[in-house]
C-alpha cells in the first residue's frame, strides 16, 4: 500500500456571518484521530524548510489559519506530492511514517499543526537515510 494515498485534503465546516468566520475542527469527527496536541509555526522566512522528519507514531493535520505555505510529502519509495495550504478552512491529513517538508512560508503564515500524540522526541526520524532504510528494509 502506498502511504501517500492516505494523505488527503480536509474541508472543515465554516460558519460565516456578518461578524466574521468561525471554522470548526473536532477530533475524531472532522479529522481522523483524537487530538492530543496542537502547536503552531509562524515567523519562518520564505527560504526556510521546516519539518524534514517522519514520525513513527504521530499523525498530523496541518492548517494554514493565516497566510500560505507548502508541504511536500515523500514515502521514501520514490513517490512524492506537494500540497499548497492557503485557506483557513482547509487542512491536510498526514499519516505516520511519511517524510514531510514545510516551506514557502508567506510572511503572514501561521501554520497550525494538530497531532494525534503528545510530544515524544524518540518517535521522530530526522535522518532521511534512516527513514529510507526503515521504509525499504523494514
Ligand atoms: P521541530 O520538530 O524541529 O519543528 P518543525 O518540525 O515544525 O520544523 O521542533 C522545533 C523544536 O521544538 C525542537 O527542539 C523540538 C521542540 N518541540 C517540542 O518540544 N514539542 C513539540 O510538540 C514540537 C512539535 C516541537
Amino acid at each position: 500500500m502506498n502511504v501517500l494515498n492516505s494523505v488527503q485534503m480536509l474541508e472543515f465546516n465554516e460558519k460565516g456571518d456578518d461578524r466574521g468566520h468561525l471554522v470548526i475542527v473536532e477530533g475524531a469527527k472532522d479529522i481522523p484521530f483524537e487530538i492530543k496536541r496542537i502547536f503552531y509555526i509562524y515567523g519562518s522566512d520564505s527560504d526556510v524548510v521546516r519539518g524534514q522528519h517522519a514520525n513513527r507514531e504521530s499523525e498530523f493535520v496541518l492548517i494554514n489559519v493565516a497566510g500560505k505555505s507548502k508541504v511536500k510529502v515523500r514515502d521514501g519509495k520514490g513517490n512524492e506530492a506537494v500540497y499548497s495550504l492557503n485557506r483557513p478552512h482547509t487542512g491536510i491529513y498526514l499519516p505516520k511514517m511519511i517524510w514531510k517538508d514545510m516551506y514557502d512560508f508567506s510572511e503572514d503564515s501561521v501554520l497550525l499543526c494538530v497531532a494525534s500524540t503528545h510530544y515524544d522526541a524518540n518517535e521522530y526520524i530526522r535522518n532521511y537515510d534512516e527513514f529510507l532504510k526503515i521504509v525499504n528494509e523494514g
Side-chain angles (χ1 to χ4, degrees), residues 25-49:
V25 182
E26 290 200 46
K29 284 186 179 173
D30 303 304
I31 63 174
F33 54 79
E34 293 282 1
I35 297 166
K36 285 268 183 65
R37 170 169 54 124
I38 66 163
F39 53 96
Y40 36 95
I41 294 168
Y42 59 96
S44 291
D45 285 339
S46 58
D47 59 352
V48 161
V49 181

Side-chain angles (χ1 to χ4, degrees), residues 37 39 41 49-53 102 113 119 124 126:
R37 170 169 54 124
F39 53 96
I41 294 168
V49 181
R50 300 200 60 120
Q52 300 191 284
H53 54 61
M102 294 90 85
C113 307
Y119 183 66
Y124 279 68
R126 293 186 179 273

Side-chain angles (χ1 to χ4, degrees), residues 88-100:
H89 62 283
T90 304
I92 185 165
Y93 167 73
L94 304 175
K96 59 181 89 165
M97 287 307 289
I98 199 163
W99 191 266
K100 38 205 172 279

Side-chain angles (χ1 to χ4, degrees), residues 82-136:
V82 173
Y83 293 86
S84 291
L85 301 176
N86 52 21
R87 292 184 301 158
H89 62 283
T90 304
I92 185 165
Y93 167 73
L94 304 175
K96 59 181 89 165
M97 287 307 289
I98 199 163
W99 191 266
K100 38 205 172 279
D101 298 323
M102 294 90 85
Y103 61 102
D104 259 6
F105 296 96
S106 63
E107 212 174 311
D108 59 347
S109 171
V110 181
L111 181 60
L112 175 66
C113 307
V114 179
S116 64
T117 60
H118 292 144
Y119 183 66
D120 173 8
N122 294 321
E123 63 101 17
Y124 279 68
I125 304 164
R126 293 186 179 273
N127 179 300
Y128 191 65
D129 289 337
E130 188 190 343
F131 173 68
L132 290 180
K133 228 179 223 170
I134 294 167
V135 163
N136 292 294

